[in-house]
Amino acid sequence: MRYVSTRGSAPILTFGEAMLTGLARDGGLYVPETIPTLTPDEIAALGGLSYEEAAFRVMRPFVGEAFTDAEFRRAIDAAYAGFGHAARAPLVQLTPNHFLLELFHGPTLAFKDFAMQLIGQLFQIALARDERRVTIVGATSGDTGSAAIEAFRGLPNVDVFILFPEGRVSEVQRRQMTTPDDANVHALALKGDFDDCQARLKDMFNHFEFRDAVGLAGVNSINWARVLAQVVYYFTSAVSLGAPARKVSFTVPTGNFGDIFAGYIANRMGLPIDRLVIATNQNDILHRCLTTGRYETDGVKPSISPSMDIQVSSNFERALFEAYGRDGGAVTQLMEELKAKGGFTVSQGAIEALRATFASGRVSEEETLATIARINTATGEVLCPHSAVGVSVAEKLRDPAVPMITLATAHPAKFPDAVEEATGHRPALPSRMAELFAHPERVTSVPNDLPALEALIHERRRR
Ligand SMILES: *Cc1c(COP(=O)(O)O)cnc(C)c1O
């Protein structure tokens, strides 16, 4: 299996190389050259398997020779062993034909653990085999950073630096990043917003001298291996509701478009999906784009669902690449226009292709709080604000005849202030996380300045 860049002019890589590289050298994102498919019988056969076995069967065709079957199985087993639920991704029914896929039973209580725990294992195997070291730099609106630190802490061949927007992550998120005391972990509070963090990270990848000197590796959702790990739960949840004989729909609270793009891949692999619904908070660039055809940045407005406070949605580039018939030149032009003018217009053909797969909705802050309260009263389920954005959009757009699965992306205790405001009760952290408030924090405040960041990484990384 070979991987090509969405901008068409970076080297073609194997799965292992694409995983360790992150962003392509032409500024694009890696995607598989062809998308493998599963037959209806192969999909039906996933029913009743353990999550780990289903994960192996869904992901194996993308991995090629980068890992042996035994290595890949071992990585999957280790990745999910620390989850707090035997089903890993349990499905809970909310109302008739509306289901919630709980993706928050991993070590940092957000869906990011599904991918990050796996790539932590895969990095370890690949780096030890090649006797290589890498410096991982990640940008986070809160959950990616904690998941990455949890997955890579203490690994011998890796240093991990996480940039988060100072003052804009929840206390639980911050503590998950600042309390691990492993020598290879560095939490950096950047003076700026999440888009600044993401922009500086991209700058580092585009500064080849720095990139090569430190062995820069990326674990943001630009990393193909992360998208791949998220494809699995679309299959397991749909099959448990009768796929492939019956179509299902999904609603996905969306920021960087990674999680929902995994649903698109599941669909292309042969999983029958009726609608794939993008749910956004007041940072609604994706909803506006689907509605008007114009992709235009508009400044981040901090919200109660901070992990979706994003304007430039990196993985959308992968969807554009597909919508433009895999024309890397066209994608390059759009991205250059975005950089120069802050927006671009999607061609008529491409917007129709996107609308054939995706629907979208936007939720205000008030509706989000009201949804948390209403679902809590009606079902007893406590939603985090991101999951509430999903549920609210799903309720508006769903076809009652088709099962709707809304992805619950974080545990409510990760965002206790919003949940308490909505329900009057402060959600408790699972008991396995009690230590979080006992440990001292370790964090470095950094300016929104590339040379200063690069100097700090040079100085701190181990050799
Ligand atoms: C990261 C995150 C999202 C957004 O996911 P994307 O893959 O960036 O679209 C939504 N909810 C929570 C809780 C998250 O951590």
Side-chain angles (χ1 to χ4, degrees):
M1 175 61 71
R2 305 189 330 151
Y3 286 81
V4 298
S5 164
T6 49
R7 301 199 192 169
S9 53
I12 293 175
L13 302 181
T14 64
F15 175 82
E17 290 161 347
M19 176 184 82
L20 291 175
T21 301
L23 197 67
R25 287 180 99 89
D26 58 5
L29 281 66
Y30 276 104
V31 290
E33 196 167 41
T34 56
I35 297 174
T37 54
L38 299 182
T39 65
D41 284 346
E42 285 169 331
I43 296 171
L46 300 172
L49 299 179
S50 67
Y51 187 85
E52 286 78 355
E53 179 60 29
F56 178 82
R57 294 192 193 182
V58 170
M59 293 189 283
R60 188 71 190 100
F62 290 90
V63 172
E65 288 170 9
F67 296 96
T68 66
D69 281 0
E71 283 172 335
F72 196 50
R73 274 185 199 284
R74 182 154 49 83
I76 292 170
D77 289 348
Y80 301 119
F83 276 47
H85 198 298
R88 312 309 182 212
L91 200 57
V92 171
Q93 186 160 12
L94 285 182
T95 53
N97 236 6
H98 189 184
F99 300 82
L100 195 67
L101 183 59
E102 291 187 348
L103 300 175
F104 50 70
H105 296 283
T108 69
L109 307 181
F111 82 88
K112 306 269 188 332
D113 288 323
F114 277 88
M116 210 65 87
Q117 285 292 319
L118 180 65
I119 72 171
Q121 299 296 327
L122 294 176
F123 263 63
Q124 187 167 19
I125 295 171
L127 293 173
R129 191 173 52 202
D130 303 348
E131 294 182 17
R132 265 176 76 181
R133 298 188 57 79
V134 293
T135 302
I136 289 173
V137 184
T140 186
S141 55
D143 294 327
T144 297
S146 46
I149 286 172
E150 199 54 43
F152 289 95
R153 61 188 288 188
L155 294 192
N157 299 332
V158 177
D159 291 294
V160 49
F161 294 83
I162 298 296
L163 297 166
F164 69 88
E166 191 162 57
R168 298 211 189 175
V169 299
S170 79
E171 185 175 9
V172 172
Q173 289 177 319
R174 194 191 67 237
R175 286 184 170 273
Q176 284 177 333
M177 294 188 275
T178 58
T179 56
D181 56 6
D182 308 77
N184 71 329
V185 167
H186 308 273
L188 309 178
L190 183 127
K191 297 201 184 305
D193 61 26
F194 170 66
D195 284 341
D196 294 322
C197 296
Q198 192 155 255
R200 294 299 77 74
L201 178 63
K202 276 209 166 186
D203 291 345
M204 286 180 212
F205 272 101
N206 290 326
H207 181 191
F208 293 154
E209 202 186 318
F210 174 78
R211 177 175 180 162
D212 295 336
V214 304
L216 190 63
V219 296
N220 273 87
S221 62
I222 52 173
N223 193 309
W224 168 257
R226 277 192 56 194
V227 174
L228 178 60
Q230 294 164 3
V231 173
V232 175
Y233 45 70
Y234 286 90
F235 276 96
T236 57
S237 59
V239 166
S240 70
L241 293 180
R246 185 158 79 140
K247 275 193 175 187
V248 303
S249 291
F250 290 92
T251 301
V252 187
T254 305
N256 246 333
F257 212 78
D259 208 8
I260 191 159
F261 189 72
Y264 169 82
I265 294 294
N267 187 217
R268 288 281 304 269
M269 288 177 72
L271 185 69
I273 295 179
D274 189 44
R275 313 180 85 178
L276 210 40
V277 182
I278 298 164
T280 76
N281 64 20
Q282 58 193 1
N283 296 289
D284 60 353
I285 185 167
L286 291 166
H287 176 56
R288 283 186 283 117
C289 179
L290 258 279
T291 312
T292 67
R294 181 90 194 140
Y295 187 86
E296 190 141 44
T297 57
D298 183 23
V300 176
K301 301 182 200 72
S303 80
I304 56 170
S305 43
S307 305
M308 293 156 48
D309 289 351
I310 289 169
Q311 280 295 322
V312 180
S313 190
S314 6
N315 277 287
F316 193 53
E317 179 166 340
R318 288 187 162 115
L320 288 169
F321 181 65
E322 300 295 343
Y324 277 83
R326 299 204 140 209
D327 178 350
V331 173
T332 306
Q333 270 181 12
L334 295 179
M335 292 302 143
E336 279 170 4
E337 203 177 323
L338 177 65
K339 199 161 186 186
K341 301 190 191 143
F344 57 78
T345 301
V346 182
S347 74
Q348 193 58 30
I351 199 76
E352 278 165 18
L354 289 168
R355 286 180 188 147
T357 309
F358 300 102
S360 67
R362 164 202 207 271
V363 184
S364 70
E365 299 287 275
E366 299 72 37
E367 285 172 287
T368 305
L369 288 170
T371 304
I372 297 173
R374 184 162 40 77
I375 294 293
N376 184 230
T377 307
T379 71
E381 184 80 19
V382 184
L383 299 173
C384 92
H386 310 77
S387 312
V389 166
V391 166
S392 178
V393 171
E395 285 179 334
K396 277 181 234 164
L397 297 190
R398 83 190 182 90
D399 171 351
V402 180
M404 172 60 83
I405 299 171
T406 297
L407 274 52
T409 50
H411 191 286
K414 237 179 154 169
F415 304 93
D417 296 337
V419 174
E420 186 173 16
E421 189 182 342
T423 65
H425 299 287
R426 204 165 175 82
L429 281 173
S431 52
R432 63 195 153 90
M433 315 219 43
E435 304 241 306
L436 206 54
F437 285 83
H439 286 296
E441 295 191 68
R442 229 167 31 112
V443 59
T444 308
S445 185
V446 294
N448 179 16
D449 175 65
L450 184 66
L453 288 168
E454 290 185 348
L456 181 131
I457 291 168
H458 266 304
E459 179 200 315
R460 293 260 191 107
R461 84 189 176 93
R462 301 169 304 173
R463 265 151 258 256

